[in-house]
Amino acid sequence: MNDISFLENRLINCDLCKRLRSFSEYVARFDKRYDEQYWGKPVPGFGDKNAVLLILGLAPAAHGGNRTGRPFTGDESGKWVIKGLYELGLSNLEEGKNRNDGLVLKHVYLTNAVSCAPPENKVNMKEIKNCSTNLKFTIEALSNLRSILTLGQVAFRALEIVLNFREQFRHLNVIKVCGKYVISSYHPSPLNTRTGKLSWTEWMDTLRYAWELANA
């Protein structure tokens, strides 16, 4: 069944990766940085079911998506993603703060290569492969999809598994696979943005290019 709402609901109950589920739940119960109830489960994708552009990240942040239950919501990377989409007219808000903030995306869908928060933001190949089935079904369910923007090398490698290709990862590398443009980008993580590896101007150029390819 390729209905994306069904896929999102099924994902929440996934327990293939015991290490990741245990960590997500532990953070939600015992290691909170925010005085609020944490999601603490696999984080489903979010966005327009008729999206032409898919943005693929690594995994939910322990105190970001793992807290809010929505990708790119409540953390520093998410601020860059959502603000960039807002500047392109693809989001109604400049920042995603929680699941009830009224955020609406147009023509864009957000998800991660791995759906649970990993310790130290590090995942292993088995966990990537476990989640690849969900990513495959997500791509198939987005019937209007034309362009996939991968954020970081892990997301790019996860997509290689799903679409069965092999290519060198480098910033702004563009290939066409299975009728879709695949764009690789540095991840807008605090490590990359604060060190200048990825500037705001470079990020906006990348996001704009991915959007243009989705409409080519």
Side-chain angles (χ1 to χ4, degrees):
M1 185 174 184
N2 286 345
D3 177 77
I4 202 158
S5 297
F6 171 81
L7 296 174
E8 291 169 353
N9 292 330
R10 187 188 68 171
L11 176 67
I12 293 170
N13 298 312
C14 177
D15 62 354
L16 287 177
C17 303
K18 306 297 184 183
R19 183 182 80 104
L20 301 187
R21 284 303 304 266
S22 295
F23 178 73
S24 299
E25 292 169 3
Y26 174 81
V27 171
R29 295 180 62 188
F30 303 113
D31 192 28
K32 298 194 295 185
R33 294 180 185 173
Y34 297 84
D35 186 19
E36 59 187 76
Q37 184 174 356
Y38 274 46
W39 175 256
K41 298 186 288 289
V43 177
F46 172 80
D48 189 342
K49 307 301 189 294
N50 297 308
V52 295
L53 171 62
L54 172 66
I55 298 179
L56 179 64
L58 191 166
H63 302 281
N66 187 55
R67 170 172 60 92
T68 63
R70 197 172 69 192
F72 299 104
T73 300
D75 63 8
E76 293 303 310
S77 297
K79 289 179 181 179
W80 275 52
V81 171
I82 302 303
K83 185 177 180 181
L85 293 175
Y86 177 81
E87 293 200 5
L88 294 180
L90 303 175
S91 169
N92 67 325
L93 300 178
E94 287 189 73
E95 180 182 350
K97 296 183 177 181
N98 57 66
R99 288 171 62 84
N100 301 310
D101 58 13
L103 177 68
V104 177
L105 302 181
K106 295 184 293 183
H107 313 301
V108 179
Y109 195 82
L110 309 175
T111 194
N112 285 298
V114 173
S115 298
C116 293
E120 301 180 344
N121 287 324
K122 295 179 180 179
V123 297
N124 60 49
M125 185 54 66
K126 181 179 179 181
E127 290 159 349
I128 293 171
K129 289 181 178 178
N130 282 346
C131 242
S132 66
T133 299
N134 181 71
L135 177 57
K136 178 178 183 291
F137 288 161
T138 297
I139 291 172
E140 291 174 350
L142 296 171
S143 58
N144 296 321
L145 192 61
R146 299 286 306 281
S147 179
I148 303 173
L149 175 60
T150 62
L151 306 183
Q153 188 161 183
V154 172
F156 187 72
R157 297 302 176 214
L159 191 63
E160 284 184 328
I161 294 171
V162 172
L163 298 185
N164 192 28
F165 70 94
R166 188 67 180 172
E167 182 75 17
Q168 181 181 2
F169 173 84
R170 65 178 187 273
H171 184 62
L172 273 188
N173 187 28
V174 180
I175 59 174
K176 197 167 188 179
V177 183
C178 301
K180 299 172 178 58
Y181 291 103
V182 175
I183 308 98
S184 51
S185 171
Y186 294 139
H187 197 293
S189 65
L191 178 62
N192 288 337
T193 59
R194 291 172 185 170
T195 60
K197 186 173 185 178
L198 183 66
S199 70
W200 177 254
T201 298
E202 289 170 330
W203 168 242
M204 284 305 304
D205 287 346
T206 301
L207 200 56
R208 188 176 293 107
Y209 187 37
W211 173 238
E212 289 173 353
L213 287 175
N215 292 277

